[in-house]
Amino acid sequence: MINQKYFLKGFKSILKIDSPAIALGCCFIAIGALFKNLGFNIQESVFSTMLTYALPGSLVMAESLLVGASLLSIFIAVWFVNARLYPMAVSLFPLMIDEKQPKWKYVLSCHFIAVSAWLIMKSNYQTIEKENRVDFWIGIGTATWTVSVLATILGFYISDYLNKDMLMGLAILNPVYFICMMVGAMKTLQIILSITLGFILGPIFYFFSPQWSILLGGFVAGSVAFLIGELNGN
């Protein structure tokens, strides 16, 4: 069974002052409004957020539907977008695995992998005993997932009161929050290099390939930062 004490502790972590809950909620308000404008009903909108959860995947799905892409194309696009969650899982789950915990908890908690929940867990895992971290993580994931679903519902019903500029403003809050969090996490050479080079290389690659600039900038920046970090013993 899930340890209620640590589950609730994780769930309540979104109430902290540095929590991504507000930024996350604002983005999913925009998603809910976008779904309604695409012709989704409330059940389809909620079901989409419940299954997709991570914000970029929802945006890609909505934009693909808007341009009339096939279901196979949408599936592949969302799959590729959410592939970015794999490195997060690789870096996070070794911190939580404990022989005393059943495997079903880890399988269940995979659904909660997203940047918002990941940031909260990475900031707090050292304060939690390893055997209780998965329960703490499930609490965090459930909380952020709940915020996303509720915000989608709210966005769906207030979409008539939101114009295009307001939707764009809401949608950009989460990326801005993540940038601020990453800057705050610049405590090692590898992180400093990866973030700094990413900011520099992204715009440079844009002039050569607008479609691939973010991917190429992130890949090159991360690779260079990793190699330099390894050479310096970091």
Side-chain angles (χ1 to χ4, degrees):
M1 294 295 292
I2 295 176
N3 187 309
Q4 185 176 1
K5 174 184 175 182
Y6 289 95
F7 174 86
L8 291 175
K9 188 173 183 179
F11 195 94
K12 293 177 181 179
S13 64
I14 66 167
L15 300 177
K16 293 183 178 180
I17 192 170
D18 60 345
S19 166
I22 295 177
L24 183 68
C26 288
C27 288
F28 274 94
I29 288 175
I31 286 291
L34 179 60
F35 283 156
K36 185 176 181 180
N37 292 333
L38 286 172
F40 281 35
N41 59 36
I42 184 60
Q43 293 86 355
E44 291 168 338
S45 301
V46 171
F47 193 60
S48 174
T49 296
M50 290 176 67
L51 292 182
T52 309
Y53 178 42
L55 182 68
S58 295
L59 282 173
V60 168
M61 183 197 70
E63 290 179 356
S64 299
L65 286 171
L66 189 62
V67 298
S70 66
L71 288 178
L72 178 60
S73 298
I74 294 173
F75 172 80
I76 294 174
V78 174
W79 180 48
F80 273 118
V81 168
N82 285 340
R84 81 194 192 286
L85 302 176
Y86 176 73
M88 295 184 197
V90 170
S91 68
L92 184 62
F93 276 81
L95 305 176
M96 299 191 297
I97 293 177
D98 188 273
E99 295 180 354
K100 298 178 183 178
Q101 295 286 4
K103 290 184 178 180
W104 67 263
K105 286 187 178 182
Y106 298 100
V107 174
L108 170 67
S109 62
C110 285
H111 181 62
F112 298 129
I113 293 289
V115 178
S116 52
W118 184 84
L119 284 171
I120 296 175
M121 185 64 182
K122 291 289 284 186
S123 299
N124 293 278
Y125 79 92
Q126 292 180 326
T127 64
I128 307 296
E129 299 86 349
K130 192 171 184 179
E131 64 180 285
N132 297 311
R133 287 176 185 172
V134 68
D135 298 312
F136 180 71
W137 165 250
I138 292 173
I140 295 172
T142 302
T144 53
W145 182 74
T146 301
V147 168
S148 301
V149 172
L150 294 177
T152 299
I153 296 172
L154 177 61
F156 184 91
Y157 284 114
I158 67 171
S159 61
D160 294 337
Y161 304 99
L162 301 174
N163 58 37
K164 183 179 179 180
D165 292 334
M166 294 171 68
L167 290 175
M168 290 178 64
L170 289 170
I172 205 173
L173 279 177
N174 219 28
V176 170
Y177 169 82
F178 293 146
I179 290 173
C180 294
M181 288 293 291
M182 292 301 293
V183 170
M186 292 171 66
K187 299 177 182 178
T188 67
L189 177 62
Q190 288 171 313
I191 295 177
I192 292 172
L193 283 174
S194 62
I195 294 175
T196 304
L197 288 175
F199 273 117
I200 296 172
L201 294 178
I204 293 176
F205 280 120
Y206 181 83
F207 291 106
F208 299 98
S209 177
Q211 296 85 356
W212 294 89
S213 58
I214 295 178
L215 178 62
L216 290 173
F219 178 78
V220 174
S223 300
V224 171
F226 174 78
L227 291 174
I228 293 179
E230 288 295 305
L231 290 174
N232 285 272
N234 293 318

